[in-house]
Amino acid sequence: MTDYRGLTEMSRLRLLHAVQRRPGRLLKDLAADAGIHINTARDHMRVLEDEGLVSSAPIETGRRGRPPVVYSPVRDVDDSAEASRRVQDATARGDLLRRVQPDLRGTLDPVGLHQLDTLYEHLDDVGLEPEVNHRTLTVGLKPCRYEPLIHEERPVVCAVHAKLVRDQLQHVEGPLELRRLHPYVGPERCEIVLGIAGEASRASRPGGVSSEAADAELAEQADAALREWQQKSSRVFTTGPSGAKLAS
């Protein structure tokens, strides 16, 4: 298993966010958007491309010389050999695991299971420690490794991860889609809600934020949920278990 080295630096997350916001832009424009020197941005984009997170393509200008290159998120595995390899490895491991533990098949068809395989391995490689509930089609996640920077960078971090979840599901053509996001359903867990196209959501947890929400709305929801848990934790600390019941 290969971890996503491309998501271990905040600078790369900002560049990926810039690509996701406006695909098909030149390196100089992405670097300016992310506030990164173009030479540093070039190295970061090479890592992101090597890991199957972005793709590059030359554009014809009609002028002589090397054509400029634009970058886009990888939403189709045909655009990235690395993304295709990851999908193949994830689905092969998922099929092997289900042969050993048939009860893991749940009610999804094979294509839906392969979507879930691909998403699970992506989230696991990123370090979010996914916990899949096949019955409700929800995935519990550990808050990301950028927690010390999260207050300032939350719009970037939350938006990047939400869009990556959608992209991973699209790498395998199937029925699963991202429905809602629930930041901080516990002091150390977030949750994403999946659904089958054309069917009502199986999850019963109220609230959350739409997967199509703008970056600022994702950040605002996450901040509010975190503050709520911090307040509950403070009450438990000062009043004991009875405070936890009152706070819940």
Side-chain angles (χ1 to χ4, degrees):
M1 185 178 295
T2 304
D3 289 345
Y4 281 97
R5 184 166 56 96
L7 299 179
T8 58
E9 289 192 22
M10 199 63 226
S11 295
R12 289 196 198 116
L13 275 181
R14 286 198 291 268
L15 276 169
L16 183 53
H17 186 233
V19 174
Q20 291 173 334
R21 286 176 57 241
R22 290 178 56 194
R25 284 194 288 169
L26 298 168
L27 179 64
K28 65 181 181 66
D29 299 322
L30 296 171
D33 193 337
I36 300 169
H37 190 277
I38 189 169
N39 291 336
T40 304
R42 183 178 291 109
D43 292 337
H44 284 330
M45 293 304 293
R46 187 178 299 116
V47 173
L48 291 171
E49 189 166 12
D50 287 346
E51 297 197 346
L53 297 171
V54 302
S55 62
S56 62
I59 55 173
E60 186 57 53
T61 63
R63 297 192 293 269
R64 296 177 61 183
R66 181 180 298 179
V69 172
V70 296
Y71 295 87
S72 299
V74 173
R75 298 190 175 118
D76 189 324
V77 292
D78 291 339
D79 296 332
S80 169
E82 177 60 17
S84 178
R85 182 195 67 79
R86 285 183 180 273
V87 168
Q88 292 172 12
D89 288 351
T91 57
R93 278 190 284 267
D95 286 340
L96 177 60
L97 183 61
R98 284 184 290 274
R99 283 198 293 271
V100 176
Q101 295 180 263
D103 57 307
L104 294 178
R105 294 173 185 170
T107 59
L108 288 175
D109 62 22
V111 178
L113 287 172
H114 287 164
Q115 282 183 285
L116 204 54
D117 294 334
T118 302
L119 176 61
Y120 178 91
E121 293 225 359
H122 165 79
L123 296 171
D124 190 46
D125 288 351
V126 172
L128 299 182
E129 301 180 9
E131 296 177 353
V132 179
N133 185 319
H134 289 78
R135 181 180 59 82
T136 60
L137 294 181
T138 56
V139 184
L141 304 173
K142 178 181 178 181
C144 76
R145 67 188 71 186
Y146 296 101
E147 192 61 35
L149 302 173
I150 204 77
H151 181 69
E152 295 179 0
E153 303 282 2
R154 195 183 303 281
V156 172
V157 173
C158 292
V160 164
H161 284 307
K163 291 181 176 66
L164 282 175
V165 168
R166 286 199 294 266
D167 290 346
Q168 293 297 315
L169 290 172
Q170 291 176 12
H171 285 178
V172 178
E173 187 174 352
L176 282 184
E177 57 188 19
L178 178 61
R179 294 283 176 84
R180 298 192 72 77
L181 302 102
H182 292 272
Y184 294 101
V185 296
E188 296 182 354
R189 300 303 284 178
C190 299
E191 183 179 86
I192 57 176
V193 178
L194 308 177
I196 297 176
E199 295 184 8
S201 176
R202 299 180 184 179
S204 58
R205 187 186 300 278
V209 60
S210 168
S211 64
E212 302 298 330
D215 296 359
E217 185 178 351
L218 282 169
E220 181 181 358
Q221 185 84 2
D223 280 334
L226 180 56
R227 284 196 302 271
E228 181 180 352
W229 268 106
Q230 288 172 337
Q231 290 169 358
K232 288 180 179 180
S233 299
S234 176
R235 292 178 193 173
V236 172
F237 181 77
T238 57
T239 64
S242 60
K245 294 179 180 178
L246 290 173
S248 62

